[in-house]
Amino acid sequence: MPYFDDNTPWYDAFNKGQFPLAVKIGLWQLNQARTTQPTVYAAPKGTPFYFMGMAAFASHDYQTATFFFDAAVAEDVRHYPNNNNTPALLFMRLDKTEQGQAAQQVVDIVVRRLETALNNYAGRRKARKLTLDDVRKHFLDHLKRPRLRSLTATIISFLAEWDYRLQMIDLAPDVSREPFFTHLFRGCLLFESLLKEKVFKSYKRETLGKLVNNHLGAALSIGKPVKTKSPGLQAILRQLKQNQKLRTAIQCTVQTRNTLGHNLVWAATSLNHRNYDLLAHDIAASCLHAIACLYVPQK
């Protein structure tokens, strides 16, 4: 049995629901092996990474969770290259077909949020047909290409964090909005990254506005160019409506990226549960539209 499958000092804390402690012990074990026992550290480590991913998810540290799940994928790809259905691989493509996964509940949570986002996208004018299976097959299944797995990890962490932030946002309206801003900005950056993967190398340094309006406007079917600048976050929030057409959703996404990408100090006391959810849906719809137009083969 691989060393890290047989030596699981973190498991007792995990089994007792002491999830931050489980992550702490797992990090200690892995770093000790890495620095003092390089031969041991070279053994398969998918098991601790996978369970640490679940523990981080349960601790609401979603970016760390996807890091650990991706690390488990890297281990599985390296050590078991012919097995495409390891628990970590199933998680990262949000595949629920294989029963008995330890992270089944986590997959269910993320899939429910993705299905909600897909239904919201489908209700918008000029939306392309896009199913959960399309997203899995043509986007999430980039698992053997490490550079593109960061896109998979980002969309999963963005979806996972969404409901958690919604539970918090109306509790204290006059405090820092940094957690909400960085969540929204990560979704905007995902949209930009989705576009940059589909343009010529010489265009990858272009601004998001140029990518949308000049290089990929026809592929995205946005019609007339979007406005890329906004006086501030309040102006973006004021224009939000339920199920805006995709061009408007993309415009809000571009403006949010340019607004939050330069400054986190915005007077946004009106950022609340309703408009935060509307803006997150606009950003998610923009990302899903990019996947539908640029990643799913057109029939």
Side-chain angles (χ1 to χ4, degrees):
M1 182 177 291
Y3 176 86
F4 290 102
D5 286 7
D6 196 38
N7 293 271
T8 56
W10 41 265
Y11 186 74
D12 185 56
F14 181 91
N15 199 39
K16 291 178 179 177
Q18 298 172 327
F19 299 117
L21 179 60
V23 172
K24 182 178 180 179
I25 294 171
L27 286 171
W28 175 86
Q29 180 196 29
L30 290 167
N31 277 301
Q32 280 290 107
R34 181 180 60 83
T35 56
T36 65
Q37 298 174 287
T39 303
V40 168
Y41 192 71
K45 300 175 285 296
T47 296
F49 280 135
Y50 182 76
F51 277 87
M52 289 163 72
M54 285 190 286
F57 190 98
S59 304
H60 304 293
D61 188 351
Y62 302 107
Q63 288 176 275
T64 298
T66 53
F67 168 83
F68 286 139
F69 281 120
D70 193 21
V73 167
E75 289 294 309
D76 292 345
V77 169
R78 182 181 303 115
H79 295 284
Y80 313 110
N82 297 320
N83 187 352
N84 292 322
N85 290 312
T86 66
L89 285 161
L90 292 170
F91 173 85
M92 288 291 278
R93 63 175 182 259
L94 301 179
D95 187 340
K96 302 196 299 180
T97 58
E98 295 283 337
Q99 297 301 308
Q101 302 173 54
Q104 179 77 51
Q105 285 185 308
V106 179
V107 173
D108 288 342
I109 290 168
V110 181
V111 167
R112 280 197 297 271
R113 172 44 81 180
L114 177 53
E115 288 175 332
T116 299
L118 282 166
N119 289 335
N120 177 275
Y121 169 69
R124 295 173 186 257
R125 205 172 125 207
K126 292 191 176 182
R128 301 281 180 92
K129 182 181 178 182
L130 186 67
T131 66
L132 178 58
D133 284 339
D134 289 332
V135 176
R136 286 190 179 119
K137 180 179 179 181
H138 300 294
F139 178 65
L140 294 176
D141 205 5
H142 288 150
L143 301 178
K144 293 195 175 183
R145 290 182 283 173
R147 191 172 65 84
L148 292 183
R149 289 210 308 264
S150 63
L151 299 179
T152 299
T154 302
I155 196 168
I156 290 175
S157 68
F158 177 78
L159 292 167
E161 187 176 336
W162 191 337
D163 285 325
Y164 182 56
R165 296 301 173 204
L166 283 174
Q167 292 175 43
M168 299 166 55
I169 194 163
D170 285 346
L171 295 178
D174 298 325
V175 301
S176 168
R177 286 325 206 200
E178 184 270 340
F180 311 102
F181 291 165
T182 53
H183 174 240
L184 294 171
F185 180 72
R186 196 160 74 254
C188 297
L189 194 57
L190 173 63
F191 175 65
E192 183 171 4
S193 300
L194 289 168
L195 301 188
K196 286 187 174 180
E197 277 303 309
K198 295 300 180 178
V199 295
F200 293 116
K201 186 176 181 179
S202 59
Y203 295 152
K204 291 186 184 294
R205 291 184 177 274
E206 295 278 26
T207 64
L208 179 53
K210 287 185 177 180
L211 290 174
V212 171
N213 289 329
N214 299 345
H215 304 308
L216 293 171
L220 296 172
S221 302
I222 62 169
K224 64 181 181 179
V226 301
K227 297 177 181 178
T228 62
K229 295 182 179 180
S230 172
L233 191 61
Q234 289 293 116
I236 297 171
L237 298 177
R238 282 196 296 269
Q239 65 182 301
L240 295 173
K241 295 179 182 177
Q242 192 77 31
N243 287 349
Q244 299 183 125
K245 59 185 180 180
L246 282 166
R247 180 190 170 279
T248 307
I250 290 172
Q251 179 167 283
C252 285
T253 299
V254 173
Q255 290 180 347
T256 301
R257 183 258 181 265
N258 290 338
T259 300
L260 297 181
H262 297 288
N263 191 357
L264 289 175
V265 183
W266 292 102
T269 54
S270 64
L271 184 66
N272 55 35
H273 186 286
R274 179 184 174 277
N275 54 33
Y276 182 77
D277 195 41
L278 287 173
L279 184 50
H281 269 299
D282 273 359
I283 294 167
S286 299
C287 292
L288 292 173
H289 189 58
I291 292 170
C293 295
L294 305 176
Y295 289 76
V296 178
Q298 302 301 306
K299 297 179 181 179

